[in-house]
Amino acid sequence: MFRWVLVIFMAFTVRPANADRLVSVGQLQQMLVTQHSKQDAELAWQLSDLRLTERLSDARLKDLEETLPGPKSRDALAALADTSAFLPPPQNEIPAEPAPDLARQRQIMAQVVTYVTKTIQQLPNFFATRMTTHFEDTPQLQLPAGLIPYRPLHAVRISTDTVLYREGREIADSAVSQAKKPMAVVQGLTTWGVFGPIMTTVLLDAAQNQLSWSRWEKSSHETVAVFRYSVPKKKSHYQINYCCVPNRSEYDGPSAPFRTLAGYHGDITVNPATGEILRLTLLAELISTDPISLANLMVEYGPVEIGDKSYICPLKSVAISRAEIERNHPVYSMPDPSVTRQRILHNDPDAERTQRILLNEAVYQDYHVFRTDMRILAGNEVPPAEKQAVDTTIPTNSGEPETNSTQATENATATSASSALAPTVAGSSEYTSGAAASSPAAVQPPEPEMAMTEATGLPDLSSPSPLATNTGFTLRTTTRLVDVGVVAYDKKGKPVTDLKADD
């Protein structure tokens, strides 16, 4: 009886190596129409058995997602669309127009070179939010502790981080992860240089090797030009960075990052009128002895607003890889990793080469210009906004308070900066308006253990040559972090030293 139960269980968990059913975008749409009554998990499993022969555009993906019953089927459809990102679009999205002549092709590529070498360099310093959805599959594996059943590509977690672009370089801040499944390290391909360097690398490599016309395509608003390219390994500057694979040295640890220069090919999609690169694909050409058998990258670009101006920046990227499972993986750890490493080291055909697919889909949004304005004041100079606040309470000869709304507006930023930077000193006097001071019915609240008051001026710092008047000098600077020193005092005027960040 137990044997029959095991056979039935295996029938539902074992998946043949080439079980993917090839479908077009039209066939996928028809299938979702006929299967709309299925449960979420059942439809998700059915979608995971498919493989598209054409690219599923973001517009069609959004329309199809609205017909799905739940999050599992939507995740499965998103993974299916991402794996198709490296394919040509359906035939009805390819205009039936003749290819441009060689002179026109060269003119378009000259505009692309100008765009990459000049326009990209004019991007301002900015920061953006990158939200990454991590997908992976679960290969079937028999361990001494039991059988790990196969599970198709599925979303495991979502991470969000801030990407800074400063002086032509991109820097990613520490990620804030919202994990569906906790993982010790971020695994898979490392996406690099999407804001510009990757364009330069591909364009230089392609121009010195094979670059030719491919086709026209229909985008959301216009017809775009697509060029194909190919770069052999010996002339490539494309480095694959992957974490992590089984270490092939018996003297090192069980796993290590994999880095290598690889040949690659792909498409460059451009605006033929301006030379702007709108889409870029890189498909690595790997050899059979590599621990990685698939390493593809796609980046989509489009217009975004940064500081009231429009720039072409990344909107989405997809990185997909298939590699051997590292031996220190928390799920797939082998009972004796040294045996497997010895087999791999000596090219034993019976060596364990279980592979896993990892897919990272990143969406870039919330672009903001990265700069700040500051006003430098002398140590004995009264901030203009504070001076204005005092002037409005002093009656003039006509009996009317003297105000200047324009000056108050201009100095609003300086007021906030002065209040933030000036420490609160216990026992300092607060300014009270005449109406409040003359009211005998005013009830004074009890003195709290800790209190904050608005600053009445800048710290009393000595200056070797103080300025008597406001110079109006404005310094514009770029900074990543502003450190503001704050001292808190209790009601007895003593500093509080045991405060925590939550306090």
Side-chain angles (χ1 to χ4, degrees):
M1 179 65 182
F2 175 76
R3 179 182 301 176
W4 284 107
V5 172
L6 180 61
V7 169
I8 295 174
F9 174 76
M10 291 288 290
F12 281 95
T13 57
V14 176
R15 182 179 182 177
N18 299 316
D20 290 339
R21 182 162 64 94
L22 301 179
V23 296
S24 65
V25 172
Q27 291 172 330
L28 173 65
Q29 292 176 310
Q30 184 63 30
M31 187 210 78
L32 293 178
V33 170
T34 59
Q35 305 293 333
H36 71 279
S37 60
K38 287 193 173 182
Q39 297 295 322
D40 185 29
E42 184 181 3
L43 184 57
W45 186 267
Q46 186 172 353
L47 288 171
S48 67
D49 278 333
L50 304 179
R51 183 153 57 95
L52 285 169
T53 59
E54 305 166 326
R55 186 198 315 157
L56 181 60
S57 66
D58 290 340
R60 291 196 181 189
L61 172 63
K62 186 176 298 184
D63 292 338
L64 294 178
E65 283 179 336
E66 295 177 354
T67 67
L68 299 180
K72 293 182 179 179
S73 56
R74 285 193 290 269
D75 283 346
L77 182 62
L80 184 62
D82 287 339
T83 57
S84 74
F86 309 92
L87 301 172
Q91 195 63 35
N92 59 6
E93 296 181 14
I94 300 178
E97 300 179 14
D101 57 28
L102 187 58
R104 175 57 178 153
Q105 295 177 26
R106 289 177 176 174
Q107 182 184 18
I108 295 175
M109 288 309 303
Q111 292 175 313
V112 174
V113 172
T114 301
Y115 169 73
V116 172
T117 57
K118 294 183 179 180
T119 308
I120 292 297
Q121 306 302 323
Q122 297 176 2
L123 284 176
N125 293 338
F126 61 83
F127 63 94
T129 300
R130 178 174 59 193
M131 185 175 69
T132 305
T133 304
H134 305 264
F135 297 85
E136 67 178 47
D137 70 346
T138 304
Q140 177 181 301
L141 193 62
Q142 180 64 54
L143 297 179
L147 175 70
I148 298 178
Y150 169 80
R151 188 179 177 187
L153 205 61
H154 58 283
V156 294
R157 70 189 186 280
I158 298 175
S159 62
T160 303
D161 60 350
T162 299
V163 180
L164 306 175
Y165 183 84
R166 187 170 56 190
E167 298 177 358
R169 296 183 300 171
E170 58 185 82
I171 307 169
D173 276 0
S174 301
V176 179
S177 178
Q178 303 171 350
K180 295 182 181 179
K181 177 182 177 181
M183 299 189 69
V185 294
V186 177
Q187 299 181 343
L189 286 179
T190 301
T191 304
W192 54 272
V194 297
F195 290 96
I198 194 172
M199 296 183 188
T200 305
T201 299
V202 171
L203 192 60
L204 290 177
D205 282 353
Q208 298 176 16
N209 293 279
Q210 297 182 16
L211 178 65
S212 60
W213 173 261
S214 178
R215 61 186 179 272
W216 295 107
E217 281 187 15
K218 293 179 182 177
S219 69
S220 56
H221 302 292
E222 57 194 353
T223 299
V224 296
V226 183
F227 292 82
R228 71 169 66 95
Y229 69 90
S230 179
V231 182
K233 180 178 180 179
K234 61 181 179 180
K235 296 183 179 180
S236 171
H237 294 89
Y238 173 47
Q239 184 181 53
I240 295 177
N241 293 310
Y242 181 92
C243 179
C244 290
V245 296
N247 204 323
R248 300 201 172 191
S249 171
E250 58 183 317
Y251 303 105
D252 297 327
S255 298
F258 177 76
R259 297 183 180 91
T260 186
L261 286 174
Y264 62 106
H265 64 276
D267 291 339
I268 305 175
T269 303
V270 304
N271 183 334
T274 63
E276 297 167 344
I277 293 181
L278 304 177
R279 198 169 188 275
L280 196 63
T281 60
L282 294 85
L283 290 78
E285 298 172 353
L286 302 162
I287 58 179
S288 59
T289 57
D290 286 334
I292 294 180
S293 59
L294 180 69
N296 296 342
L297 175 65
M298 185 279 300
V299 186
E300 290 181 354
Y301 298 86
V304 298
E305 295 293 328
I306 306 177
D308 299 329
K309 292 184 180 180
S310 181
Y311 298 92
I312 300 296
C313 289
L315 301 179
K316 177 182 177 181
S317 67
V318 173
I320 182 171
S321 60
R322 182 172 59 240
E324 296 176 16
I325 297 171
E326 66 277 14
R327 300 304 168 209
N328 61 351
H329 190 280
V331 176
Y332 298 99
S333 297
M334 299 293 108
D336 188 0
S338 62
V339 175
T340 302
R341 292 204 303 277
Q342 284 283 354
R343 289 179 175 178
I344 294 175
L345 187 64
H346 295 92
N347 296 321
D348 190 333
D350 295 327
E352 178 64 57
R353 288 180 61 87
T354 303
Q355 293 189 327
R356 180 177 53 146
I357 297 176
L358 297 178
L359 189 152
N360 294 333
E361 176 196 289
V363 177
Y364 300 83
Q365 55 194 2
D366 298 332
Y367 282 84
H368 296 282
V369 68
F370 190 71
R371 71 186 182 197
T372 182
D373 291 336
M374 295 189 304
R375 299 199 66 178
I376 297 181
L377 304 176
N380 64 341
E381 183 181 352
V382 178
E386 181 182 331
K387 180 176 182 296
Q388 176 63 26
V390 176
D391 289 346
T392 56
T393 62
I394 300 176
T396 62
N397 294 334
S398 61
E400 297 293 335
E402 185 178 343
T403 59
N404 189 333
S405 59
T406 303
Q407 183 181 0
T409 302
E410 292 177 350
N411 296 320
T413 304
T415 304
S416 301
S418 300
S419 300
L421 294 175
T424 302
V425 181
S428 61
S429 60
E430 299 184 25
Y431 178 80
T432 306
S433 65
S438 61
S439 175
V443 179
Q444 297 296 331
E447 182 180 5
E449 180 67 22
M450 294 178 60
M452 292 186 297
T453 60
E454 294 186 1
T456 58
L458 292 175
D460 186 12
L461 301 176
S462 60
S463 175
S465 55
L467 300 177
T469 59
N470 181 13
T471 63
F473 176 73
T474 301
L475 173 66
R476 173 166 291 179
T477 182
T478 299
T479 181
R480 184 178 180 184
L481 180 66
V482 176
D483 189 6
V484 179
V486 177
V487 179
Y489 296 87
D490 60 18
K491 64 180 181 180
K492 297 181 180 179
K494 296 181 179 179
V496 181
T497 60
D498 58 349
L499 290 177
K500 301 179 178 61
D502 294 339
D503 299 332

